[in-house]
Amino acid sequence: MKASDLFIKALENEGVEYIFGVPGEENLDFLESLSQSTIKLILTRHEQGAGFMAATYGRLTGKPGVCLATLGPGATNLVTPAAYAQLGAMPMMMITGQKPITKSKQARFQIIDVVDMMRPITKFTKQIVDSNIIASQIREAFRMATTERPGAVHLELPEDIAQEECSGEIFDVVNYIMPNPDDKAIDAAVAMIQKAKMPLLLIGADANRKITCQALGRFVDETGIYFFTTQMGKGVIDERHPQYLGTAALSSNDFVHAAIEAADLIINVGHDVIEKPPFFMKKGGKKVIHINFEPAEVDPVYFPQLNVVGDITHSVNKVTDQLQVQEDWEFSFFKKIKDEVKGHLSKYFKDERFPMLPQRLVNLMRENLGDKDVITLDNGIYKLWFARNYTCYHPNTLLLDNALASMGAGLPSAMTVNLLYPDKKVVAVCGDGGFMMNSQELETAVRLGLNLTVIILNDGAFGMIKWKQEDMGFRNFGLDYKNPDFVKYAESYGAHGYRAESDSHFQEILATSLNNPGVHVIDLPVDYSLNHPILNVLLKQKTAEL
Ligand SMILES: Cc1ncc(C[n+]2csc(CCOP(=O)(O)OP(=O)(O)O)c2C)c(N)n1
C-alpha cells in the first residue's frame, strides 16, 4: 500500500470525520489519498483558522480534531492553535508536510525544524522516518492527545515517506477507564470538609470535559454547599441554581472573591494552574482540596493540602456518599453575597443607551438564545462581562479561552459548533480587533454553507488593553485604529452584513440573523465607558463593604 493511503486509513480507523487545513505541495500525496477517503477536507483560508477549528472539534467531542499544513510557513502558522489546544486541554492532531528527507535538492528552502518547534507546545511531536511505523505512530499520537491531560500532538510526514510502498497494519483503538481515587484520599477529603466551617466548591475546566454535571449537581443539592466556577468551568451546573455564587472572571475584588476570602476550605473540582487563577493561596491561609484526574502542579499561588486523584465523577460521588451535612456549616455570608450579586448583575440589563453597554448585550443574548444554543467568544474585554454576567444553563454553551486567551478563535470556533451541531444556534461574539485576526474565514463559512451569526463589538480599539492602561493610570496611547466598513466587508464574502443603529434596531437584526440561514455579520457599536468605573472602582468598594 502507498504510505499516504495507509496514513489516511489509520486516521479513518481513529474515527476522524474532518481534516481542517491549507495544503502545500509537500502534502499532495496525502491530499490525493484523502480524496479517496470518507474523511472530509475543510479547506480554510489560514492555518490558524484550521487549527482553531480542529481544537474546538476536540474540545467539544473529546476526540482529536485534525488539521493539516505544509512545511515551514504553513507549520509556523499552526503554532498559536497548537498552544491554544495544549493549554486549553483540547485534543488536537496536527499533520505537516516536509521536503524529502532522504534525497532532496531543496537545500534549506522553506525548511525549519518543525518537530522541534512544536516540542514545547505539544505532548508528542515526531517526524515519520519510515512508512512502516505510520500506523503505530498515529495510534500513539491519538492516545497521547486524548490521555489526561488532553492536548496537541504533531506528526510530520515527509514527501518521500508519503510516496513509499509499505505493509503497515492498522492498530485497534483501545480505550481505557480512568482509575478511581484511593479510599484514603476520599476519607481525608470527607474529614476536611466536615471539619470546615465555610466550605466552598470551585468548578474548573477539567470538570467540564467529562460528564460530571450529575455528580456535581448531586453534591451541591445534597450538601447545600455553595459553588463558583472558573471561566472554563461555566455551565457544568445550571447557573440558575440557588447556590451558584458566580464566575471568577476578574483576578480579585469581585463579589465572588469576597466569598472565596471568607471560605476556610475550597473544594476544587477540575481547576488546574493553566487557567487564570480564580483565587490565590497564601501560606497559613485557607485549605484547598484538589480533586482532579492529575495531582496539582505546585505554584506560588496554588499548593493544595490534599489531592484526590482519579476519575472526577467517581471522586465526587464517593465524597457525596460519605459526607454528613454539618450543623455548624455557616452559609449565611454566601447567601448575602448571592443576593447582592443578583441586584448588581441585573442593574444594566434593561439600559437601552446606544452604543450598547456590554452588560445589556449579555442580557439580550440570554433572552434570544435557547438553553443549549452556543456563544463562542473571541478575546477582549467583553469576555469578562460574558463570563461574569451570562447565565449558562448547560456545559459548553459559552465557549471561551481562559488558558492561552488568544485573539482570533471566536469565528473559527463558531464554525466548528455549526458543523457539529447544525440544530443549535451559534453566535461568535468578537471584538473588532479579534475578529480581524481571522476574518478571512468568513469565506470558508460561506463556502461551507454554514449558519452562524458574528457580532463585532466596534470600539475602534484594542479595548481590553485600553482598560488596563486606564487602570494603571497611564495616558491613552497606541491602541486606537480604524475599521473597514463591516457591512460591505461581510457582503463581499457573500455573507449578510448589518450595522446596528439603536438598541431596538439591534434586536431586530439579531432576530433576523438567528432565524435565517447563512452567515450574518453584525457591526455593533459598543460603549465601554463603564468598564473602568465598575470593574476597577465600584467592585472594590462594594466588596470591601460586604
Ligand atoms: C493573538 C493575541 N494578540 C494579542 C493579545 C493581547 N490582547 C488581549 S485582548 C486585546 C485587545 C482585544 O481587542 P478587541 O478584539 O477589539 O476586543 P475589545 O477588548 O476591544 O472588546 C489584546 C491586544 C492576545 N490576547 N492575543
Side-chain angles (χ1 to χ4, degrees):
M1 186 187 279
K2 188 178 167 189
S4 57
D5 288 343
L6 175 69
F7 201 112
I8 295 292
K9 286 263 164 304
L11 294 178
E12 285 171 351
N13 181 57
E14 297 289 339
V16 174
E17 298 173 273
Y18 300 106
I19 295 180
F20 307 91
V22 179
E25 64 185 283
E26 293 71 23
N27 308 112
L28 286 175
D29 289 284
F30 180 90
L31 203 63
E32 175 68 9
S33 301
L34 181 59
S35 71
Q36 312 295 313
S37 164
T38 51
I39 301 172
K40 244 182 115 183
L41 173 70
I42 305 285
L43 193 67
T44 60
R45 302 304 299 271
H46 192 297
E47 291 83 355
Q48 222 181 71
F52 285 139
M53 288 190 78
T56 305
Y57 179 97
R59 178 180 193 172
L60 293 172
T61 63
K63 299 189 298 180
V66 180
C67 55
L68 174 75
T70 189
L71 77 176
T76 55
N77 274 348
L78 282 180
V79 165
T80 303
Y84 173 83
Q86 181 73 354
L87 288 194
M90 307 171 197
M92 177 175 87
M93 183 191 192
M94 296 171 284
I95 301 163
T96 57
Q98 188 53 279
K99 294 290 179 204
I101 49 174
T102 44
K103 254 192 253 159
S104 169
K105 292 184 185 147
Q106 291 294 325
R108 293 266 180 93
F109 178 65
Q110 288 197 306
I111 295 179
I112 56 163
D113 189 336
V114 176
V115 172
D116 256 10
M117 177 185 77
M118 291 292 184
R119 205 171 307 283
I121 45 173
T122 53
K123 296 178 75 179
F124 173 93
T125 172
K126 281 255 158 42
Q127 181 183 64
I128 296 185
V129 293
D130 175 351
S131 53
N132 289 309
I133 56 166
I134 284 178
S136 64
Q137 295 281 270
I138 288 180
R139 183 75 281 275
E140 175 60 2
F142 272 75
R143 186 190 72 78
M144 288 293 281
T146 47
T147 307
E148 287 297 333
R149 187 176 188 271
V153 296
H154 166 244
L155 282 178
E156 181 178 74
L157 179 62
E159 265 185 283
D160 50 352
I161 305 294
Q163 289 161 1
E164 279 178 6
E165 284 298 313
C166 64
S167 58
E169 65 187 63
I170 303 289
F171 286 72
D172 288 343
V173 176
V174 178
N175 292 318
Y176 63 93
I177 294 171
M178 194 71 192
N180 286 330
D182 194 278
D183 284 345
K184 277 195 221 118
I186 299 291
D187 294 347
V190 169
M192 272 173 84
I193 302 171
Q194 288 183 175
K195 209 170 138 210
K197 295 285 165 283
M198 294 177 74
L200 183 61
L201 170 69
L202 163 62
I203 301 174
D206 299 358
N208 209 353
R209 270 207 295 281
K210 302 264 156 65
I211 309 297
T212 59
C213 317
Q214 267 182 344
L216 283 164
R218 187 183 148 227
F219 177 87
V220 293
D221 287 342
E222 291 187 12
T223 62
I225 290 176
Y226 281 70
F227 68 99
F228 70 107
T229 75
T230 66
Q231 295 187 41
M232 290 168 84
K234 269 186 90 66
V236 172
I237 299 181
D238 187 331
E239 292 173 357
R240 291 168 290 191
H241 197 287
Q243 287 146 241
Y244 168 67
L245 287 179
T247 296
L250 298 166
S251 303
S252 55
N253 294 320
D254 202 346
F255 290 94
V256 77
H257 299 106
I260 295 165
E261 205 51 43
D264 59 347
L265 173 72
I266 308 265
I267 308 151
N268 168 9
V269 180
H271 165 62
D272 65 33
V273 291
I274 300 288
E275 256 200 278
K276 184 176 176 187
F279 68 94
F280 307 116
M281 286 183 76
K282 292 187 212 89
K283 269 232 139 164
K286 70 180 86 293
K287 298 227 168 355
V288 174
I289 304 174
H290 176 93
I291 301 182
N292 212 323
F293 301 106
E294 307 252 306
E297 242 181 83
V298 173
D299 184 275
V301 299
Y302 191 64
F303 43 89
Q305 290 84 359
L306 176 67
N307 283 276
V308 179
V309 179
D311 178 72
I312 289 184
T313 302
H314 197 80
S315 301
V316 173
N317 274 331
K318 276 192 136 184
V319 169
T320 313
D321 289 343
Q322 292 187 30
L323 196 64
Q324 314 238 313
V325 172
Q326 301 294 299
E327 280 187 4
D328 62 347
W329 280 344
E330 174 49 55
F331 295 143
S332 57
F333 183 65
F334 296 154
K335 189 171 177 314
K336 181 175 165 201
I337 288 181
K338 174 84 195 171
D339 295 340
E340 289 274 338
V341 168
K342 241 196 241 159
H344 164 80
L345 287 188
S346 54
K347 180 135 191 252
Y348 294 98
F349 273 9
K350 304 265 176 244
D351 192 320
E352 294 184 12
R353 76 181 78 177
F354 203 82
M356 186 174 280
L357 291 174
Q359 297 92 313
R360 168 77 174 154
L361 174 67
V362 166
N363 187 39
L364 286 175
M365 295 311 295
R366 187 60 284 174
E367 283 178 354
N368 281 278
L369 290 178
D371 289 15
K372 292 194 174 174
D373 291 339
V374 180
I375 296 176
T376 65
L377 296 184
D378 210 279
N379 209 68
I381 183 71
Y382 52 88
K383 189 175 88 175
L384 298 185
W385 289 112
F386 272 86
R388 290 178 78 243
N389 297 24
Y390 189 76
T391 311
C392 284
Y393 303 158
H394 288 277
N396 287 329
T397 49
L398 182 67
L399 286 189
L400 54 78
D401 167 20
N402 189 35
L404 184 66
S406 174
M407 295 162 74
L411 171 59
S413 301
M415 290 162 64
T416 298
V417 172
N418 184 244
L419 264 185
L420 286 172
Y421 311 112
D423 295 338
K424 292 185 186 183
K425 293 187 181 10
V426 56
V427 181
V429 176
C430 307
D432 42 19
F435 170 71
M436 288 301 287
M437 287 204 179
N438 272 313
S439 60
Q440 75 286 341
E441 300 309 338
L442 283 178
E443 189 281 322
T444 312
V446 170
R447 174 165 36 88
L448 293 174
L450 299 183
N451 301 313
L452 56 89
T453 299
V454 183
I455 299 176
I456 305 169
L457 300 185
N458 193 338
D459 65 333
F462 291 122
M464 171 88 158
I465 313 302
K466 269 194 142 174
W467 168 65
K468 295 252 170 174
Q469 194 177 47
E470 188 176 357
D471 188 34
M472 292 169 82
F474 294 145
R475 70 195 71 202
N476 178 6
F477 173 75
L479 295 164
D480 295 309
Y481 45 67
K482 292 234 176 329
N483 280 314
D485 180 329
F486 286 124
V487 176
K488 285 192 189 146
Y489 187 74
E491 285 171 354
S492 73
Y493 282 106
H496 304 275
Y498 316 85
R499 181 168 301 109
E501 308 285 356
S502 67
D503 186 281
S504 59
H505 183 223
F506 171 71
Q507 292 191 54
E508 269 169 46
I509 296 168
L510 182 63
T512 307
S513 304
L514 292 175
N515 295 310
N516 285 288
V519 175
H520 302 263
V521 177
I522 303 176
D523 176 357
L524 176 65
V526 66
D527 179 352
Y528 279 154
S529 62
L530 294 183
N531 289 349
H532 180 71
I534 294 184
L535 297 176
N536 300 336
V537 183
L538 180 90
L539 285 178
K540 243 179 234 159
Q541 282 164 10
K542 285 259 175 211
T543 47
E545 285 162 12
L546 280 166

